[in-house]
Amino acid sequence: MKSLLSPLLLIAMCTTFSCHSSSTQEASQSNTDSLAAPITFWLGTYTSQPSEGFHLISFQQETSTFDSVLMESDINNPSFVISNKPGDLVFAVQEEGGEDGGSVCSFRFDQTANTLKKLSTSSTIGSGPCYITLSPNEKFIFAGNYGSGDLAVLPIQADGTLGDAIQTISHAGSSVNEDRQASPHVHSLVFHPNGKQLFVADLGTDKVYIYDFDPSREQPLSTSIPSHFTVKAGSGPRHLVFNQAGDKIYLVHEMTSEVGLYDYNLEEDKITHLDSYALTPKGFAGDKGAAEIKISDDGQFLYTSNRGDSNEIIVFKINPQTGTLDKIQAISSGGQTPRNFALSPDGNFLFVGNQNSDQILAYERNPQSGIIKKTNAKLAIHRPVYFFMLDK
């Protein structure tokens, strides 16, 4: 009996150790799997020296910390940065004026090595390009020139380079504010959810122009029906978003710090102003300057930023039946001039860039209530002005 005890004890000890080791490995694997993946995004900026540029930013959710993974400095004033759906091509404006005007640059992004290679630069045939968007088929870049009040269509070649502009459209007219609306100023270009119409907000003329998009045509844009809709004089249309159905338009009135709600009757091709929602309290006498606007992926909440003397993020609840808005929160942006912000892909965070405070911050977001709460996460970045979230 004694001779059998030691082998049996040895087997039991080995089995126990093996189970413990396996459990430890499984627990370790479980802990690794439970760690939330970092949230990454491209960040556009204004530059003032050669060492500055646009950034790839990573946000660690567990530690609430930002990190600049890479920075591309071979570019001037990359104030608007986007990428294609696969994420391997990146496009950025060079928001410049002068004799040569502005341009768009394309880059190849190696997602494994986190490196960028500049591929091309193409003129926007105008000054001060401040907004670019990809066509639904990702074969064209549409660039809006704020300074010269026009837009250009740039083809994207198979190798990722940009061709010369194949179409330009110039706006004409003015509005009531002589300082800011003496001429057209294209401020955004947004595709309707149907992918067949491009809406172009022009701050200088108080109009939103509408163009039909047909990628098979030599010049893919043509005037739609209706050709435009007009906002209240002096409002200054800036950025806009659609609801999921595409029958409601939410438009930032920059100069009056409002969100305008417009009904889009798709059967009758008719756009009607329903209401405007002030971002400032009644009697507010300070400077105004509404900027960005976003809708949560579930369509329940709308977010907008207000600059000027307010420097706030404002949250609205969207009525699912009527599309009307109910303001539920106004919270400090934590700095000066919140020109842009973005919601994380999972909806749990909102990131804001305070242009004149040279910083980006993170807010926790409650997906059920829509309410946001400022965290301690902060990163010093020179003149941050645009976020483009990456889905990973």
Side-chain angles (χ1 to χ4, degrees):
M1 186 71 176
K2 184 176 180 180
S3 62
L4 293 174
L5 193 59
S6 293
L8 288 173
L9 181 61
L10 182 61
I11 292 171
M13 291 176 62
C14 289
T15 302
T16 301
F17 177 79
S18 176
C19 290
H20 175 73
S21 176
S22 177
S23 298
T24 302
Q25 291 175 0
E26 290 175 3
S28 176
Q29 182 65 41
S30 177
N31 289 337
T32 301
D33 292 343
S34 67
L35 292 177
I39 299 169
T40 56
F41 52 87
W42 293 108
L43 182 70
T45 71
Y46 284 119
T47 58
S48 58
Q49 54 188 12
S51 61
E52 297 163 350
F54 69 89
H55 300 252
L56 178 64
I57 303 293
S58 174
F59 177 73
Q60 302 292 338
Q61 300 183 53
E62 283 74 20
T63 58
S64 288
T65 54
F66 290 106
D67 180 41
S68 178
V69 178
L70 71 85
M71 193 266 288
E72 175 58 54
S73 61
D74 186 18
I75 192 168
N76 296 321
N77 289 331
S79 62
F80 207 96
V81 184
I82 63 175
S83 75
N84 62 350
K85 291 175 183 175
D88 61 336
L89 289 177
V90 178
F91 306 93
V93 302
Q94 292 197 109
E95 189 175 336
E96 297 181 300
E99 184 176 342
D100 295 331
S103 57
V104 179
C105 302
S106 67
F107 299 82
R108 178 74 62 184
F109 177 49
D110 186 324
Q111 300 174 66
T112 302
N114 280 335
T115 57
L116 282 170
K117 178 184 178 182
K118 193 172 188 178
L119 301 177
S120 65
T121 301
S122 186
S123 172
T124 60
I125 320 296
S127 66
C130 68
Y131 200 107
I132 52 175
T133 192
L134 278 163
S135 61
N137 63 5
E138 300 201 325
K139 293 185 177 181
F140 302 93
I141 282 279
F142 299 87
N145 295 307
Y146 181 86
S148 51
D150 42 37
L151 58 142
V153 184
L154 309 175
I156 303 171
Q157 313 296 348
D159 61 357
T161 59
L162 293 169
D164 293 336
I166 58 172
Q167 184 177 11
T168 59
I169 297 175
S170 297
H171 292 170
S174 59
S175 195
V176 296
N177 188 312
E178 295 181 358
D179 292 332
R180 299 200 59 193
Q181 297 181 306
S183 62
H185 295 299
V186 172
H187 221 317
S188 63
L189 310 92
V190 180
F191 270 95
H192 187 271
N194 65 21
K196 299 177 180 179
Q197 293 172 303
L198 184 67
F199 283 64
V200 181
D202 192 317
L203 181 144
T205 62
D206 277 326
K207 294 179 181 179
V208 176
Y209 296 85
I210 309 169
Y211 299 98
D212 290 334
F213 171 63
D214 184 348
S216 67
R217 294 168 58 96
E218 185 175 341
Q219 294 193 332
L221 294 181
S222 58
T223 301
S224 187
I225 299 174
S227 63
H228 68 275
F229 66 92
T230 303
V231 306
K232 183 179 178 180
S235 296
R238 181 182 172 94
H239 289 184
L240 63 92
V241 290
F242 295 91
N243 65 346
Q244 294 173 350
D247 61 355
K248 295 293 185 293
I249 304 167
Y250 299 92
L251 174 66
V252 168
H253 298 169
E254 176 180 332
M255 295 165 59
T256 53
S257 284
E258 297 171 325
V259 172
L261 170 59
Y262 299 81
D263 179 76
Y264 186 13
N265 188 317
L266 298 169
E267 294 182 357
E268 299 180 6
D269 295 323
K270 183 179 180 182
I271 297 175
T272 305
H273 175 244
L274 298 180
D275 208 346
S276 291
Y277 301 87
L279 304 183
T280 53
K282 188 175 181 179
F284 180 83
D287 290 337
K288 298 179 179 180
E292 185 58 289
I293 188 167
K294 303 284 186 182
I295 293 179
S296 58
D297 285 346
D298 60 12
Q300 296 187 44
F301 302 98
L302 181 144
Y303 299 79
T304 187
S305 64
N306 196 20
R307 299 168 298 174
D309 290 327
S310 294
N311 297 303
E312 291 180 327
I313 304 296
I314 296 89
V315 186
F316 293 91
K317 172 74 173 175
I318 302 174
N319 185 302
Q321 281 75 44
T322 64
T324 54
L325 301 178
D326 179 29
K327 186 189 291 186
I328 60 174
Q329 185 183 24
I331 184 172
S332 170
S333 70
Q336 300 294 312
T337 319
R339 181 185 176 103
N340 200 256
F341 66 87
L343 297 169
S344 62
D346 61 9
N348 292 328
F349 292 92
L350 181 146
F351 305 108
V352 61
N354 290 303
Q355 177 182 344
N356 290 346
S357 296
D358 298 326
Q359 63 182 9
I360 60 173
L361 296 88
Y363 290 71
E364 291 180 346
R365 176 179 176 270
N366 184 317
Q368 283 70 48
S369 69
I371 297 297
I372 60 174
K373 179 182 178 182
K374 186 173 174 292
T375 71
N376 292 324
K378 183 186 299 186
L379 182 66
I381 293 283
H382 182 78
R383 297 293 188 267
V385 290
Y386 189 73
F387 294 80
F388 186 85
M389 306 305 300
L390 298 175
D391 294 324
K392 286 191 175 181

